[in-house]
Amino acid sequence: MKKLLYTFSLVLAASVVSAQDHITYFCGQTAAREKLFLQHDGAEEQSRINNEALEAYTADYIGSRGGDVIVYTIPVVFHIIHQSGAENISDAQIHDAVAILTRDFRKQNADTVDIQDEFVGIASDCHIEFKLATKDPQGNCHPGINRIASDLTYDGYNSDMKALSVWPRNKYLNIWVCNTIGGNTAGFTNLPGDVASNWAADEDGIVVRYDYTGSIEESSEGRSRTLTHEVGHWLNLYHTWGPGNSPGDVANCAQTDLVSDTPTTAGHTNCNPESLCGNWLDNVENYLEYSFCGRMFTWGQRQRMRAALTSGTAQRNQLWTNTNLLATGVLNPPLCEAIFSATNQTACVGETIQFTDASYNGVVSWDWNFGDGDTFGGNDPLVHKNPAHIYNTPGVYNVSLSVSNGTAIESVTNTSYLTILDSGMISSPLIEGFEGAYPGNTWIGINPQGDESWEITPAASYSGDKSLKLRNFSIDSGNIDDLYTATFDMTDADTIYLSYKWAYANRTTTTDDKLRIMVSGDCGNSWVVRKLRKGTTNLPTATATNSQFTPATEADWSGETLVLTNSDWYTDRFRVRFEFSSLGGNNFYLDDINIFSATATGIKTAEPVFIYNVYPNPSSGDMTIELGQMNNENVTIELYNATGQLCSTLFSGNLSAGRHNFHIPDQATGLYNIVLKKSGHMAVQKVIFE
């Protein structure tokens, strides 16, 4: 006879794809449950009372209406807690996870054919389904997915993580996805009775690792039953061996899961069905086992979960009502928004751009306008939902999409959404001090969140009068802003040099903004990170401040030169990308970006070791250039404006150390660069004409 127990610790056994690579993740739910009780006086005793009442209700339900076949639909909301890493899983992975939940609870999984003969007869369709909400608690249209940037993604047991985003538990099943939970845990939840009291309402839901959510992308098929297991707990199921976290312990044979048709078991961490408790086979394919072959619920588990859903404990009985399904948009979901994305927002002529429709809900037809005179539309989702398109002419293009659910139409036009580049648009060297117009033909700024973005500022500079600023102080954590160059012709290079100056300060609280400098030789189809700077280590150049940071002196700036020697980048589609990830820090500044190539007779360094002095500076005309360390060497001296255009060649021939006077052609007032090239080296001095 099974022993009745009312309180227990919830755990998760999660595993990898195959027996050859099997890792069991045990839970830390015992500690999480204890923490829950410690936070509230009298909570443990109240939990005992709640669970006893729910057990009495469950017994009555099984005796009176345990065979009903009403389909209960549960609205779900996902809260993705991330730091812009792999844990910020795609919408597609979330939709896959929801589909798997319904598949498993409706016994629609194909692997039911592998259930042991002894248990085929009790494998049950639970008549429970799950759908993403399409309305938020205020009734606004919503995709049912919230994304919140926080370093609490690495601390899944912390209740503060849940507090970042939680919707009413009487309307939604809350699922929090994070990077790490701790203690080799893949996920955890609470019994309805443990969180039935009002003080625990915001704790009610499921926490799961990003790589145990769904079956695609960051997760796998073998890990896809993690949420199935956890929802079982959330609906008042024990593990098959009962309470505790020691599967395989024969002491478990004296315990119970309170389900009449699951064999008494010690628990399993593999698919061997031989029982340690008696001369019978165990139900190792049960979702509430620790084996990696879960593929069924029993009839008794079905009754127990449906009892939990119809009871008032933890307000489960409010979730599936027609009133709530309408309120959460699960019934008659509205057509809310036309929205789409593209694989790249900058590309080169002749490259394929893949568009992805993310409109919701119930879209049945699509009409695309790619902005170059081509349109595409129809009602076949395999053809028209996510089209690919090739642009054959450089330019900036608007892209429009109209979608319909058969009765309503939603449309969107993204202005200047795509920039199509030609090859070799910029010649080396690029000397950029941001004294001219921005963005212009050289630079492309991408601001997907539509908030603060890159802008020219006269308030700070390393040299000259201006720099490029990202007003990061005002940007939400988790946002990313990109700064791209157009294409360079680097086909003759054997080395590429990239130098830049930057200024940044943290706030006084811990922050971790990140700057990635990336390069591409294929117009941005693939990027390689050449430098990563973090707010916690090597990004700050000035003292932390809780005020908006503006560099005041040269000491507030830093700089470096990156040397790029991979031949994959020596193409006419070479590009550079500065990516800034905001995670609670301060303003960021860029200045004096120089990008140039070296050949056997070309440029080899950006350090100004040959031009010692240029004067007068500022000047109204002619200048003197004082040189050192040269003895009748061949040099070229060129004058460039602030946008990197060659204005004139001041000298080409042999020079020795000393003072040399040069006639400067008439130039407009502003900042210029004098570039000296000698013996495979390059040096730059900034000058101002008045």
Side-chain angles (χ1 to χ4, degrees):
M1 180 177 179
K2 296 183 176 181
K3 177 183 176 184
L4 181 63
L5 296 174
Y6 293 108
T7 60
F8 68 98
S9 62
L10 297 174
V11 300
L12 171 68
S15 53
V16 299
V17 177
S18 67
Q20 288 75 25
D21 186 26
H22 173 53
I23 302 173
T24 301
Y25 283 79
F26 297 96
C27 90
Q29 180 57 35
T30 300
R33 185 169 186 261
E34 290 174 353
K35 181 178 180 180
L36 183 70
F37 292 162
L38 287 173
Q39 289 175 335
H40 304 274
D41 292 339
E44 186 170 5
E45 174 61 15
Q46 187 60 53
S47 172
R48 184 188 66 79
I49 295 170
N50 293 340
N51 279 305
E52 286 181 349
L54 181 54
E55 290 306 325
Y57 176 89
T58 300
D60 179 70
Y61 174 89
I62 292 172
S64 61
R65 50 197 174 102
D68 70 80
V69 292
I70 299 170
V71 176
Y72 296 125
T73 301
I74 301 175
V76 182
V77 58
F78 278 77
H79 311 280
I80 314 301
I81 314 300
H82 68 93
Q83 275 211 312
S84 302
E87 70 279 355
N88 192 16
I89 58 177
S90 71
D91 288 2
Q93 188 173 337
I94 295 166
H95 284 278
D96 180 67
V98 176
I100 287 172
L101 277 177
T102 292
R103 179 199 71 186
D104 290 349
F105 276 79
R106 290 305 311 269
K107 198 184 143 186
Q108 295 169 344
N109 46 304
D111 56 3
T112 55
V113 298
D114 298 322
I115 296 172
Q116 298 173 82
D117 292 343
E118 288 81 0
F119 301 101
V120 169
I122 59 171
S124 181
D125 176 355
C126 299
H127 286 83
I128 300 172
E129 297 183 353
F130 303 83
K131 291 187 178 180
L132 278 176
T134 67
K135 292 183 180 180
D136 68 12
Q138 288 73 46
N140 302 311
C141 285
H142 196 280
I145 302 169
N146 291 310
R147 298 182 184 276
I148 303 95
S150 172
D151 58 5
L152 289 175
T153 187
Y154 302 109
D155 191 11
Y157 279 129
N158 193 331
S159 60
D160 290 342
M161 187 198 74
K162 294 180 179 180
L164 294 170
S165 180
V166 58
W167 287 8
R169 59 105 173 264
N170 66 323
K171 301 181 73 174
Y172 309 89
L173 164 56
N174 288 280
I175 299 177
W176 293 271
V177 177
C178 62
N179 183 289
T180 306
I181 297 175
N184 289 330
T185 303
F188 69 89
T189 188
N190 298 101
L191 280 174
D194 289 346
V195 290
S197 301
N198 290 336
W199 54 262
D202 289 346
E203 295 281 343
D204 195 356
I206 295 167
V207 176
V208 64
R209 281 172 54 122
Y210 74 100
D211 48 354
Y212 285 79
T213 303
S215 65
I216 63 174
E217 298 177 358
E218 300 298 331
S219 189
S220 66
E221 183 63 38
R223 295 174 174 180
S224 65
R225 266 52 188 266
T226 301
L227 275 176
T228 304
H229 179 109
E230 285 305 317
V231 172
H233 285 318
W234 183 78
L235 290 175
N236 205 35
L237 290 187
Y238 292 91
H239 291 113
T240 55
W241 64 86
N245 193 28
S246 55
D249 187 344
V250 293
N252 293 338
C253 297
Q255 299 187 143
T256 179
D257 62 352
L258 301 177
V259 179
S260 60
D261 58 2
T262 56
T264 298
T265 180
H268 293 262
T269 57
N270 57 53
C271 291
N272 180 0
E274 294 182 7
S275 180
L276 297 177
C277 297
N279 187 24
W280 56 76
L281 296 180
D282 285 342
N283 184 205
V284 293
E285 293 104 345
N286 197 288
Y287 290 127
L288 270 295
E289 262 286 4
Y290 264 23
S291 66
F292 54 90
C293 48
R295 51 184 62 97
M296 65 169 286
F297 290 112
T298 71
W299 178 260
Q301 288 174 319
R302 173 194 190 275
Q303 292 177 308
R304 187 171 177 83
M305 289 189 288
R306 292 173 68 80
L309 269 179
T310 57
S311 80
T313 303
Q315 300 175 293
R316 300 286 191 264
N317 63 343
Q318 298 180 35
L319 290 166
W320 46 266
T321 64
N322 277 0
T323 299
N324 190 55
L325 297 182
L326 286 168
T328 56
V330 170
L331 269 183
N332 302 325
L335 180 62
C336 295
E337 183 178 8
I339 185 172
F340 65 88
S341 62
T343 47
N344 291 307
Q345 286 187 252
T346 61
C348 280
V349 166
E351 293 180 344
T352 299
I353 296 179
Q354 180 69 54
F355 292 92
T356 300
D357 169 54
S359 306
Y360 59 98
N361 296 278
V363 176
V364 296
S365 66
W366 299 261
D367 286 297
W368 296 86
N369 187 326
F370 300 115
D372 61 349
D374 285 353
T375 59
F376 185 69
N379 57 11
D380 186 344
L382 297 178
V383 176
H384 302 107
K385 179 178 172 65
N386 301 317
H389 188 65
I390 296 175
Y391 290 82
N392 295 311
T393 305
V396 178
Y397 295 95
N398 304 335
V399 181
S400 300
L401 171 64
S402 291
V403 295
S404 173
N405 64 355
T407 57
I409 296 175
E410 288 285 335
S411 301
V412 63
T413 296
N414 289 342
T415 305
S416 301
Y417 183 67
L418 293 177
T419 300
I420 304 301
L421 307 172
D422 210 346
S423 300
M425 295 179 65
I426 308 171
S427 298
S428 171
L430 170 69
I431 302 168
E432 181 61 86
F434 299 105
E435 301 298 318
Y438 167 82
N441 295 324
T442 301
W443 298 99
I444 302 163
I446 301 294
N447 176 28
Q449 291 80 24
D451 53 5
E452 303 287 349
S453 189
W454 303 97
E455 60 183 359
I456 295 288
T457 177
S461 63
Y462 182 80
S463 63
D465 297 321
K466 301 174 183 176
S467 65
L468 196 64
K469 176 182 179 180
L470 182 62
R471 202 183 302 271
N472 181 50
F473 190 90
S474 305
I475 293 177
D476 292 336
S477 291
N479 287 5
I480 293 177
D481 287 271
D482 283 310
L483 178 69
Y484 299 86
T485 67
T487 55
F488 286 84
D489 185 356
M490 295 293 188
T491 52
D492 294 329
D494 62 20
T495 307
I496 301 172
Y497 293 90
L498 165 59
S499 64
Y500 65 100
K501 298 289 193 302
W502 83 95
Y504 168 84
N506 275 319
R507 301 196 195 192
T508 54
T509 53
T510 301
T511 56
D512 193 16
D513 295 331
K514 293 181 177 66
L515 175 69
R516 293 177 176 88
I517 297 95
M518 295 176 270
V519 298
S520 171
D522 58 7
C523 195
N525 288 304
S526 60
W527 293 97
V528 178
V529 177
R530 300 304 302 150
K531 192 72 174 186
L532 171 61
R533 294 193 170 275
K534 298 182 178 182
T536 54
T537 53
N538 58 354
L539 183 61
T541 61
T543 303
T545 174
N546 276 332
S547 300
Q548 294 220 28
F549 167 65
T550 303
T553 67
E554 186 175 308
D556 289 335
W557 292 80
S558 188
E560 69 172 340
T561 298
L562 304 178
V563 181
L564 313 174
T565 58
N566 190 324
S567 61
D568 290 344
W569 302 323
Y570 305 155
T571 73
D572 61 357
R573 296 189 171 196
F574 174 77
R575 298 178 66 197
V576 175
R577 173 183 177 183
F578 293 84
E579 179 193 88
F580 192 91
S581 301
S582 176
L583 287 166
N586 217 314
N587 298 332
F588 177 78
Y589 300 80
L590 271 176
D591 204 2
D592 293 358
I593 299 175
N594 296 326
I595 303 170
F596 49 91
S597 61
T599 64
T601 59
I603 303 161
K604 287 297 183 186
T605 181
E607 296 301 324
V609 295
F610 300 106
I611 300 180
Y612 280 106
N613 200 8
V614 177
Y615 57 87
N617 190 10
S619 172
S620 58
D622 296 343
M623 286 187 172
T624 296
I625 300 177
E626 186 174 1
L627 305 176
Q629 300 181 6
M630 291 202 301
N631 183 19
N632 196 34
E633 297 181 51
N634 186 265
V635 301
T636 299
I637 302 176
E638 298 171 332
L639 179 69
Y640 290 83
N641 65 20
T643 63
Q645 295 175 314
L646 177 64
C647 298
S648 66
T649 299
L650 303 180
F651 181 84
S652 180
N654 289 356
L655 280 180
S656 295
R659 296 184 180 92
H660 304 275
N661 297 321
F662 291 94
H663 173 70
I664 308 297
D666 291 339
Q667 300 292 338
T669 300
L671 179 70
Y672 292 78
N673 295 280
I674 294 180
V675 179
L676 182 145
K677 302 174 183 178
K678 179 195 80 74
S679 301
H681 297 270
M682 184 183 93
V684 180
Q685 287 282 14
K686 295 188 180 297
V687 296
I688 298 174
F689 289 154
E690 298 178 330

